[in-house]
Structures are given as structure tokens and as C-alpha cells.
Amino acid sequence: MATERYNPRASEPRWQKAWEAAKLFETRNDDPRPKYYVLEMFPYPSGRIHMGHVRNYTMGDVVARWRRAMGHNVLHPMGWDAFGLPAENAARDNKVNPRDWTYKNIETMKGQLKTMGLSLDWAREIATCDASYYKHQQKMFLDFWKSGLVERKSAKVNWDPVDMTVLANEQVIDGRGWRSGAPVEQRDLTQWFFKITSMSQDLLDSLNSLERWPDKVKLMQANWIGRSEGLLIRWKLDEGTAPAGESELEVYTTRPDTIFGASFMAIAADHPLARKVAEGNPELAAFAEDIRHRGTSAAELETAEKRGFDTGIRVVHPFDPEWTLPVYVANFVLMDYGTGAIFGCPAHDQRDLDFANKYGLPVRPVVLPDGGDREGFQVTDLAFTDDGAMINSRFLDGMRFREAFDAVADRLEAVSVGNRPQAERKVQFRLRDWLISRQRYWGCPIPVIHCDDCGAVPVPDSALPVELPTDVSFDKPGNPLDHHPTWKHADCPKCGKPARRDTDTMDTFVDSSWYFARFTDPWNTQAPTTLEYVDGRKGWLPVNQYIGGIEHAILHLLYSRFFARAMKETGHLNEVKEPFEGLFTQGMVVHETYKGPNGWVTPAEVKVEDFDGSRKAFLLAGGAPVEIGPIEKMSKSKKNVVDPDDIIGSYGADTARWFMLSDSPPERDVIWTEAGVEGAHRFVQRVWRLVSEAEPAVAGVTPAVGEAGAAAELSRGAHKVLKAVGEDIGRLHFNKAVARIYELTNLLSPQVAEIVAGRRDGGLDAAVRQGLEFLVAMIAPMMPHLAEECWVALGGEGLVAERPWPAFDPALTVDNEFTYPVQINGKKRGDLTIARDADQATVEKAVLELDVVQKALDGKPPRKVIVVPQRIVNVVA
Ligand code: ANZ
Ligand code: ZN
């Protein structure tokens, strides 16, 4: 029988309309079934979706559809991370309004997402640039401020000279702005901060409770928070060398055990002592000015050449009044960590060693590697930073790290210098407060009015939202809100005098730090979110499964964790402090790169051919040879991008979805290849053919487990696959689930041929029907359109998208059989598969019936049959 090919172009839009008409994915907050909240990181509306989106949203959709089939009330929303610099750049370059540009992109991308057949609740769509969204953000800002979680302070900030804005520490990568790539400068500005450091300890401790987060993400966050236990030690300045009015230098160290290996002190260029000396020392002033202008990111300091300036000041060693050490101003000491001053121990710290070697300072080892030679141990170019036993350290000799740390701390804590102990234990965090002020237009306005008399005054609730003006000009560099002729003029809410609005907007990471909460009740005009769900039952949060890119491991996820806590503190959330119960970070979509005679070319412009096993590429137009480059992340710069529209247009969304899921484990990169997509499409057609061919033979047949022979075997296989696929999807092992589904079609194919040929033994038609229904249910989360089409072909009722996940029979999924190797006179001659619990007599009887055995015995009775249960059978002829 000839079946027509499946035509996704006709089928897919039809099913999308059917789901929409039935409002299947519009989730009700008062639905009594158990909730399941699955969320993918929402996109920035850059203009078009890319393959990374396709992969991300396909995974989320499989989870959403499967959870729905499992009986959950599923929340699966979508929105737009819609503020940000590209809109302003487009405005400047193309003379379009950032708002128009953004909303147009949203429309385009929404249309694209719809062609993917995602089961999204579009009724909850939000865009962070809507005043109805940022109104609540402004309210939260003010509430956080009231609760002491917001602070306005002057700080040394990272200034991006190209984007002309301040950046958070997290947005400075290797000393450069994360967007512009320009070297960041240091400036003193008064800015708004979220006090994320007030939660450092909790943000760190609670990582332990996140059982369904990848370890690597937790580790990255822990390192970013950077807790260390150390000691503050005050060193006396040597009187003859100290500047007037100065008597001590306080340092922070995590290695007080190495105090007898100290050979110099180093302070930051902005340390008060450095500033004081610089006042009378133009050479030092110039040196300090120079290092101030260079980047001060930790990574940069790590690699930059160490530079220092001897101040001439000396300090006295806390354990030896005769021992003095020089104080340098050095470029590798940060002012905003610890006390901005350190003691350098070259033998056990690489930076200190580089510095000491450059300036000819002593290098004295005080920690001996285990098994090392006490007399001969020396450090020259490589610092020894591991654990060992103390040497050359007077009363510490022989101790290990912990003991030596405590011995130094105990002794110095007991000494008092000017009413205070000379040392004090201190826990220190690397995490800094979150600077949120941005000198940009396209962001959420900071709802504050500055009055000469009253200072910074909150905008009253009744005047929220503070909306962005729409008539802005991008002709001048800098912040358009600041240039606007009227917008910033406002009366002081407190005293009524003319005052100025804050013209800064919030970092767009603020917008994405709470959107997951907004989705739970986007219609609420009074509060940003409410957790009250139904009759005081627990609400939607936390998100049960969050899926997105590893690139957000630190910034977005840490900020969201801060926000959930701050919202809870200010009454905007009830119970939850961890916003994401499960986190999955998917791999990237990568593709070969191609270089033509005039530079990079896109895969669409290239044809690749196989010549005796070696692949060669040519331009489609003109046939010029093309060099095949390495496989890399799809990116515009290398032009190795495949447009989802093209793929969906030619193969359909189901093919794209199937390929994304099938090819590699979801946490790894997936290599997009034409051959792979074609393979996926062949499978789509194969499923369709299987169902179409079987249909006449299974029409009207009631699905059932096969009773005997091939029918029973098929049912066992089908139930096993059903069980495994459910487990695989539950664990997000999509590629494994796909492999199982292939297995099932392989089991079904020959049996479909049998029933088409008219066989029905052991209820084969009913077993095939059941297998096909399982197949349809199992492909439904992944290829939802094809599943609906197959369901119709089988004469099924209703929409697959609404049907429950089928139940497997556990008895059919356990392996009840055992295969015995059968030996004749000690040589293996065959196998016997038989029920695992068959008794000895049954096994013996079955063995003697085997052809090979009968042939060997040649009509005579065996001398002996030895059955080793669950092991082997030996026939002695
Ligand atoms: C002496 C010492 C000896 C150190 C040794 C290390 C190894 P974490 O663990 O990251 O907290 N340090 C302190 N303040 C600094 C600053 N403002 N800028 C640059 N470095 C600073 O690191 C703490 C260690 O980093 C401290 O312990 C200090 O050097 C350095 F064998 O003190 B240590
Ligand atoms: Zn005032």
C-alpha cells in the first residue's frame, strides 16, 4: 500500500491552531492538581531566534508536555528580557525608537516561537520594558531601600568609556566591558547598590540545599562568593620611618602560619598610608596614578607584571622587635578587599614570589612539603602553596597549617596594642555589593527624586510607575534621560520644591532577577507577585525545573537568589528563598565553519561533498572551493549559523526538535549537521509510514498485551520502553529516551508487516495497536504535531496533548528469562532461553529438545545432564 509522505508544512500549523483554540496551555492558578513550574531562560528580543533558543525551548517543552501527561498542573510561560543596550544602539544607528525596535522584534520572535509548536501559556506573556512590569520593580526597589537592602554610596566604579556607563564587577571580564570589550577605567561616582553582601553567608550555605543543581554551577557560585577565614594583624610602623601621625599597618591574611616567611609589606595605591606618603613624594604619586589607570580586575592583576614602589617606611615583625620589613605600594593589592594591605611571603605565594624576585627581597621557605628535605628545600621560581610542616618558624616548627594558624592567632589576640588586641580572626567574602545604576535610557527608571534640601527622596507609591519618556534623542553621546528637556524636572515629594529625578536606570539584570515570580500572577496590578494560589495552598514557586545556558551560572542565578530573599524580607514572597529547585544547563549548538575566497560564509551558501571519505566544500554559487574550518559555537561573526526558520520551513518543527534532542546528551554541545537533520526527518517519515501501514489492520482493534509468542514478546518490549522513556524524560536524559523510541519502532516494524500480511497469532494485532499507541504517546512531548497526526490516523479521539501518559505493566518490564549456554561434552554448542524460575527438570527437558542436542545424541539417551541454575547446562553424550 502506498502511503503519502507526511507533510509537516500542512500539519504543523493546523495542530498549533487546534491547541490554541482549545486553550490547552493556558494554566489556571486554581487548578487543584499538583503544580509543576518549568521555565526556560527568557530571550532578549534581538530580532530573530537562533538555534540555541530552539534547543533550550525544545527541552523545556518536552518537560512541560510530559509533566502535563503525568497529571500535573503545568506552568510553562514565556516573556521578553526587553531592556538593554542593543535597542539604544539600533536607535542611534538606524534612527528608530528603542521601544518600536523592541516590540517589533518581539512580534517577529513570537511568531517564530509559535512555529516551533511550544506548549507555552501566552496569556502570561510579559515584557520587562512594559511599564506594567517595571512598576513593580520600582516598588520593590523602594521597599528594599526601606528595609536597608539598598544603599547609595560613593564608590570606585568600573566605567566603560565606549558604552559610557558604569558596569558591575561581574560585567567586567579580563578588565574589559562585557559588551564593548573596551578597557574599563576606575571612577569615583555616587551610585545605587543592592546589598547582596548582607546575604553572603546564606547565599553560600544554601547552595548545599540545591540538590538538583549541577555541581559545577554551585562551585562557581561558591568561588564567586569567596568566603575565607583569616586574621587581621596590626603591624607597628618602625618609628624612625613612619610618616607623622601614623603608627600601624593592618593587614588581612589567610596564611598567618607563614608569618616567619614574611619579607615585605604591600599596600594598594589608594591605601591611606600610600596617599599620605604620596603627598610629599611626586614620584610615588605618579606611580600610584599610573596603576590606578590600569584595570584592576582580579584576573588582570593575576597576569599583569608585578610592580612596586618602596615607600621607605618599615614595619616591625609582631614576634621580633629587632626584625623590620619594607613597605611597598604594589599594583597587585586591591583596595577593596581585606584592608588593602598584605604581608608578602614569597616562598608560599606566587604573586609575592614574582614580586620578591623582581625587587631582590628574601625568599625564606617556612612550609616543608611532606617528604621534603628540611636542609635542602628551596623556593626559586615556583611558590609552594600546598600543605606541609612548618620550618624556620620558631615556636611553630613542626606544626601543620591549622595548628600554626591558631597558635599565631591565639598569641597575637592576647597581646594588646593601644587597648585593642594585635590580631583578630575575621571571615571575609570576595562578593561585592551589586551596583545597579546605569547611565542609560532603555532601562527601568530609578524611582528617586533628588532635592537640595531633603536629599534622595523616594517617589511615592501613588506616582509609580515612573515611566520612560518616549520623545528622546540619541544625537548626543551619554544618557538621553539626562539630556531630555523636561523629564528630569520634578517637585520634591517631601518639601515640594523643584528637584531632579534620578536619571539613571537599573542594570537589566535586575529585570531578569524576578520575572519567574511575575509569571505566577502577571495580572496582579497591586503587587509584583502573589504566592497565594488556592485556599492558602503552597504557590507556584520555586520553579521546579529551570533550563538555560551555563553562561548565567554566576550573574543571573546569583542575583535571582538574592532577589528571592529580598522579596521575602519585604513581603513580596511568602515562603520561598531559593527560586529554582532544579537547574539544568544545556550545551551549545555548534557547527562547522566555512571560509570562502572572501572570508567566512554561511552553511546555506556551501555544498559539502564526499570524495572517497574526505569531505570537500564548494560555494553553491560559482563552485569556488571553500575551506572547512573547525566546529565552533554558532555565531554571527563566524557565520556558521543555521536559521531555525529555514529548517522549520523545509523539514518542519518536529524534525528540528527531534534532532536537537537525539544527537547528544543535553548538557553537552550538539553538532548541527545537515546529515543529522536529514536522519531526524527520515525518522519522522518512518513513524508516519509505520502508523499508516498498520492502520487498516489495527482499526477498531482494542489494544492489549500479547498473549503468546511474538505478540507477547512485542508487548514486553513495548512496556519496557515505555517505562524507560518516562524515567529518562524525568531525568532530562532526552537522548536516551530517543534511543529507546528508535528501539520500539524497530520492534514494531516486522510485526506490523505480519499483521498486514494477515497474521493475528497470540493477539498480535492488539499488541501492535498497543505498541503504536505507546509510540504516539512517547513521541508526543518531542514531536507533538506528528503525534497528533498519527493519533488521528489511528482513529484516536481528542488531542494527544491532552491525553495522560500511558501506564506500563510492571510485570512485563522485569526480565523473567535467562539464557543458558548449552555445552555438549564440555564444548559450547548452543543457547537455551527459558523462564528464569524454571526448575531443573524443566530445563533438562527443554535442553534435550534442542536440535543441536538431539543431533549430538543421535537417538541415544544422554549419559548425564548437569544443570547449574542460572549459570550453564552441560550434556554428557
Ligand atoms: C599572607 C600570605 C602568605 C597570603 C601566603 C597568602 C599566601 P583569599 O583566600 O582570597 O581571601 N590578600 C589579602 N588582601 C589582599 C588584597 N587587598 N589584594 C590582594 N591580595 C590580598 O586570599 C587572602 C590572601 O590574599 C591573603 O593571605 C593575602 O595574602 C592576600 F603564603 O597573606 B596572604
Ligand atoms: Zn525636598
Side-chain angles (χ1 to χ4, degrees):
M1 190 193 68
T3 47
E4 265 177 56
R5 279 176 71 78
Y6 173 65
N7 180 3
R9 263 186 302 272
S11 151
E12 292 185 348
R14 194 152 31 79
W15 292 114
Q16 287 157 17
K17 276 203 203 90
W19 298 326
E20 199 170 325
K23 295 192 192 295
L24 280 195
F25 312 127
E26 288 188 18
T27 303
R28 295 178 46 160
N29 283 355
D30 61 0
D31 188 314
R33 291 172 300 171
K35 69 103 179 175
Y36 197 90
Y37 186 177
V38 52
L39 183 68
E40 300 97 63
M41 291 179 183
F42 68 162
Y44 176 77
S46 57
R48 304 189 60 76
I49 65 166
H50 54 65
M51 281 298 178
H53 294 131
V54 173
R55 191 175 195 202
N56 192 188
Y57 302 146
T58 298
M59 290 181 192
D61 200 46
V62 172
V63 174
R65 286 177 180 270
W66 181 69
R67 290 284 170 183
R68 242 177 247 120
M70 294 297 287
H72 284 101
N73 182 31
V74 171
L75 177 57
H76 187 213
M78 182 55 75
W80 308 96
D81 190 9
F83 273 137
L85 212 43
E88 280 184 63
N89 293 340
R92 185 163 296 131
D93 299 344
N94 310 323
K95 304 269 171 247
V96 290
N97 184 286
R99 175 183 310 268
D100 298 341
W101 182 87
T102 304
Y103 281 99
K104 197 172 140 282
N105 288 347
I106 288 177
E107 201 182 293
T108 311
M109 292 172 71
K110 186 172 174 183
Q112 288 185 297
L113 291 183
K114 289 202 163 178
T115 65
M116 282 184 63
L118 303 169
S119 63
L120 291 166
D121 182 353
W122 285 106
R124 294 177 191 244
E125 180 182 4
I126 53 180
T128 57
C129 63
D130 266 359
S132 63
Y133 180 85
Y134 66 69
K135 167 185 169 179
H136 302 292
Q137 191 162 308
Q138 293 175 338
K139 168 78 172 134
M140 284 192 283
F141 172 92
L142 296 174
D143 287 349
F144 290 3
W145 192 10
K146 237 180 267 163
S147 298
L149 292 165
V150 170
E151 193 178 14
R152 186 167 160 78
K153 59 188 176 188
S154 164
K156 195 160 279 307
V157 295
N158 306 302
W159 176 259
D160 183 325
V162 169
D163 281 346
M164 305 242 292
T165 184
V166 156
L167 298 175
N169 282 350
E170 290 85 342
Q171 293 164 341
V172 180
I173 296 155
D174 295 338
R176 291 169 182 275
W178 68 296
R179 272 207 78 259
S180 70
V184 163
E185 295 166 8
Q186 303 296 305
R187 290 205 182 170
D188 279 307
L189 288 175
T190 302
Q191 307 269 298
W192 294 101
F193 289 82
F194 282 149
K195 290 170 75 177
I196 189 169
T197 58
S198 68
M199 300 179 182
S200 301
Q201 190 68 53
D202 185 39
L203 287 168
L204 181 68
D205 293 343
S206 303
L207 287 172
N208 288 328
S209 71
L210 299 173
E211 283 166 18
R212 288 201 300 112
W213 276 45
D215 287 339
K216 66 174 171 203
V217 173
K218 289 194 272 188
L219 188 66
M220 285 163 86
Q221 292 220 350
N223 287 340
W224 186 261
I225 295 167
R227 181 183 194 276
S228 52
E229 285 175 17
L231 201 61
L232 288 170
I233 305 177
R234 294 153 64 213
W235 298 56
K236 218 159 79 54
L237 301 190
D238 177 37
E239 269 165 32
T241 62
E246 299 289 335
S247 62
E248 65 177 46
L249 178 62
E250 189 171 43
V251 307
Y252 177 70
T253 176
T254 48
R255 295 293 306 276
D257 58 311
T258 65
I259 198 160
F260 291 103
S263 69
F264 64 94
M265 313 297 282
I267 60 178
D270 285 316
H271 191 281
L273 195 57
R275 287 188 182 268
K276 189 142 198 184
V277 180
E279 278 167 21
N281 185 338
E283 221 185 317
L284 173 58
F287 175 81
E289 193 53 24
D290 185 43
I291 52 182
R292 237 173 251 136
H293 275 294
R294 307 193 186 226
T296 54
S297 78
E300 200 166 55
L301 290 177
E302 214 62 60
T303 50
E305 192 188 343
K306 308 289 170 284
R307 297 164 62 220
F309 189 102
D310 190 346
T311 61
I313 303 171
R314 297 187 76 87
V315 295
V316 181
H317 196 281
F319 291 114
D320 188 342
E322 304 300 313
W323 180 0
T324 65
L325 302 86
V327 178
Y328 283 78
V329 172
N331 66 339
F332 65 93
V333 184
L334 302 162
M335 189 55 223
D336 66 353
Y337 188 70
T339 61
I342 65 160
F343 78 77
C345 173
H348 304 292
D349 182 283
Q350 192 60 45
R351 292 178 305 182
D352 296 350
L353 181 61
D354 296 344
F355 190 84
N357 282 342
K358 179 160 175 187
Y359 293 101
L361 297 159
V363 179
R364 182 152 69 139
V366 290
V367 184
L368 182 68
D370 291 333
D373 160 29
R374 207 194 137 109
E375 306 307 319
F377 180 55
Q378 270 188 0
V379 169
T380 49
D381 295 321
L382 197 64
F384 175 67
T385 55
D386 284 344
D387 203 11
M390 303 308 306
I391 51 171
N392 303 326
S393 294
R394 306 187 194 182
F395 64 94
L396 300 176
D397 278 357
M399 293 181 183
R400 310 289 299 186
F401 167 74
R402 188 70 253 170
E403 203 186 342
F405 183 117
D406 288 333
V408 171
D410 290 347
R411 285 207 188 196
L412 293 181
E413 274 171 347
V415 179
S416 102
V417 181
N419 287 335
R420 276 170 56 212
Q422 193 168 6
E424 190 186 325
R425 284 176 166 85
K426 173 122 200 255
V427 170
Q428 186 84 36
F429 293 92
R430 205 156 268 287
L431 186 65
R432 297 284 85 119
D433 278 335
W434 176 12
L435 165 55
I436 59 148
S437 307
R438 296 291 180 275
Q439 292 70 47
R440 311 282 0 155
Y441 164 69
W442 194 233
C444 170
I446 292 175
V448 172
I449 292 170
H450 298 277
C451 169
D452 287 338
D453 294 342
C454 314
V457 182
V459 170
D461 285 0
S462 58
L464 296 182
V466 175
E467 283 196 60
L468 284 173
T470 48
D471 53 334
V472 281
S473 137
F474 291 89
D475 297 341
K476 280 189 264 179
N479 180 359
L481 287 180
D482 210 28
H483 303 150
H484 193 280
T486 54
W487 187 78
K488 68 178 166 191
H489 303 296
D491 292 338
C492 171
K494 229 186 204 162
C495 70
K497 281 200 215 132
R500 282 156 289 109
R501 282 191 192 286
D502 204 306
T503 55
D504 286 352
T505 53
M506 295 184 206
D507 179 4
T508 57
F509 276 99
V510 179
D511 313 341
S512 53
S513 293
W514 68 281
Y515 77 109
F516 50 87
R518 182 68 185 156
F519 278 135
T520 66
D521 194 8
W523 307 282
N524 192 323
T525 55
Q526 296 312 307
T529 174
T530 169
L531 270 187
E532 262 57 66
Y533 183 7
V534 79
D535 298 335
R537 208 150 56 94
K538 256 182 108 169
W540 280 113
L541 293 176
V543 172
N544 299 88
Q545 185 64 60
Y546 197 33
I547 309 179
I550 185 77
E551 66 275 18
H552 294 297
I554 297 176
L555 283 85
H556 164 59
L557 292 169
L558 192 61
Y559 292 155
S560 298
R561 297 180 65 221
F562 161 75
F563 239 84
R565 285 164 171 75
M567 286 174 77
K568 191 174 161 180
E569 240 178 271
T570 50
H572 293 293
L573 284 183
N574 274 354
E575 296 192 33
V576 175
K577 74 173 186 184
E578 284 299 340
F580 311 119
E581 181 189 49
L583 171 71
F584 187 82
T585 53
Q586 98 260 8
M588 291 182 300
V589 184
V590 298
H591 196 288
E592 269 180 345
T593 46
Y594 305 106
K595 212 170 209 170
N598 305 315
W600 301 109
V601 287
T602 66
E605 297 168 284
V606 173
K607 75 170 177 266
V608 181
E609 279 166 12
D610 231 343
F611 289 95
D612 298 327
S614 89
R615 296 168 68 253
K616 295 207 163 68
F618 308 91
L619 279 185
L620 276 172
V626 167
E627 189 191 322
I628 300 181
I631 295 172
E632 290 180 39
K633 173 184 178 172
M634 282 191 182
S635 77
K636 282 191 192 134
S637 60
K638 298 270 169 81
K639 289 203 179 176
N640 59 339
V641 288
V642 174
D643 189 337
D645 269 2
D646 292 346
I647 299 297
I648 294 173
S650 39
Y651 297 99
D654 286 342
T655 295
R657 294 169 60 123
W658 186 254
F659 177 59
M660 278 302 189
L661 298 166
S662 62
D663 213 53
S664 30
E667 67 279 7
R668 299 243 200 92
D669 290 353
V670 59
I671 306 175
W672 186 273
T673 63
E674 187 79 14
V677 182
E678 276 164 9
H681 192 63
R682 272 197 303 278
F683 185 69
V684 168
Q685 296 297 350
R686 183 171 168 210
V687 169
W688 176 242
R689 237 179 6 253
L690 197 64
V691 168
S692 314
E693 279 170 16
E695 189 273 326
V698 297
V701 172
T702 309
V705 173
E707 287 149 25
E713 188 123 336
L714 174 65
S715 292
R716 269 198 302 278
H719 282 252
K720 267 188 211 162
V721 168
L722 177 60
K723 173 173 188 268
V725 167
E727 288 167 358
D728 287 337
I729 296 180
R731 289 191 214 113
L732 312 190
H733 293 169
F734 306 115
N735 61 318
K736 290 191 185 159
V738 162
R740 309 270 191 191
I741 292 173
Y742 273 108
E743 225 175 84
L744 179 59
T745 50
N746 288 341
L747 289 177
L748 279 166
S749 286
Q751 306 308 335
V752 166
E754 293 285 317
I755 57 166
V756 169
R759 295 214 186 89
R760 301 277 188 275
D761 326 16
L764 189 58
D765 53 346
V768 168
R769 168 108 208 171
Q770 187 179 61
L772 288 171
E773 292 195 3
F774 285 1
L775 178 65
V776 169
M778 284 188 279
I779 62 169
M782 308 174 184
M783 301 194 284
H785 313 88
L786 177 64
E788 298 287 2
E789 204 72 31
C790 289
W791 188 235
V792 171
L794 287 175
E797 269 169 34
L799 292 162
V800 178
E802 271 186 296
R803 290 178 59 79
W805 190 252
F808 58 85
D809 178 349
L812 295 175
T813 62
V814 287
D815 256 324
N816 280 329
E817 290 183 333
F818 184 77
T819 301
Y820 284 93
V822 177
Q823 292 187 342
I824 300 173
N825 295 336
K827 278 220 171 77
K828 186 173 178 232
R829 297 287 183 213
D831 290 304
L832 172 74
T833 299
I834 193 162
R836 193 177 275 278
D837 57 1
D839 59 18
Q840 297 233 1
T842 317
V843 174
E844 195 172 318
K845 185 162 168 276
V847 164
L848 295 178
E849 279 167 13
L850 291 175
D851 281 350
V852 272
V853 176
Q854 296 203 339
K855 238 191 227 139
L857 293 176
D858 200 14
K860 286 172 247 156
R863 294 235 297 268
K864 211 172 180 187
V865 179
I866 308 156
V867 177
V868 186
Q870 317 279 330
R871 292 289 296 278
I872 199 165
V873 183
N874 198 358
V875 180
V876 185

